[in-house]
Amino acid sequence: MEDPRNVIILGSGCAGLTAAIYSGRAGLKPLVIEGLEFGGQLYTTTDVENFPGFPEGVMGPELIDRMKAQAERFGAEFLSYQSATQLDFTERPIKVTTGGDETYSCHALIIATGAPPKEPGLPHELELRGHRVSTAPTSGARGTS
């Protein structure tokens, strides 16, 4: 096993990429384990009209791709098509094992794995995704009573 990384980030959606940008700017050379669905829910979203800095809106995939490019500019490394399958917090450094049976170690672990969209299970729902049927990435962020 190689020397411990400063930071490993699980997840490649908005939160994971933002963590990669900030930790990269701090010189920590983060490793982002993308997961099996790069970009999270935002990557499958069409018009994003509430993200600061885009007064005309932006497509979800474009926003995520730009965030990834920014993180890479600051030294983030990406592990594509891999998910963490095991985390070991019993001793330092923290150990992260991926589906490819690789084990990485780190001093800090950021878990930004998001949440799956809630789907009602309607007929032809998946076929109509993006064509009158959509899920909002912020829907899981609402408070519960």
Side-chain angles (χ1 to χ4, degrees):
M1 183 166 39
E2 60 189 42
D3 288 338
R5 306 253 180 171
N6 290 313
V7 178
I8 293 179
I9 300 165
L10 304 182
S12 58
C14 246
L17 294 173
T18 300
I21 291 166
Y22 276 86
S23 58
R25 287 189 69 221
L28 299 176
K29 299 180 180 167
L31 172 65
V32 179
I33 300 177
E34 291 183 356
L36 300 179
E37 294 182 24
F38 170 73
Q41 290 182 51
L42 198 56
Y43 206 76
T44 61
T45 301
T46 52
D47 297 314
V48 178
E49 296 180 321
N50 61 347
F51 197 88
F54 294 91
E56 304 301 320
V58 62
M59 298 296 282
E62 179 187 352
L63 179 59
I64 290 293
D65 288 342
R66 291 175 73 163
M67 292 177 78
K68 180 179 182 180
Q70 188 174 7
E72 288 175 325
R73 177 177 155 227
F74 293 117
E77 181 183 342
F78 288 80
L79 185 59
S80 302
Y81 308 108
Q82 291 289 325
S83 292
T85 57
Q86 185 174 351
L87 304 175
D88 183 355
F89 295 99
T90 59
E91 59 186 24
R92 294 286 184 173
I94 300 165
K95 291 183 182 55
V96 179
T97 304
T98 67
D101 291 329
E102 293 285 333
T103 299
Y104 300 88
S105 61
C106 60
H107 298 293
L109 178 67
I110 298 173
I111 301 173
T113 54
K118 294 184 179 183
E119 299 171 341
L122 301 172
H124 307 289
E125 184 175 1
L126 292 177
E127 297 163 32
L128 295 172
R129 178 74 48 83
H131 307 279
R132 298 191 179 136
V133 172
S134 64
T135 60
T138 57
S139 62
R142 293 190 186 119
T144 57
S145 52

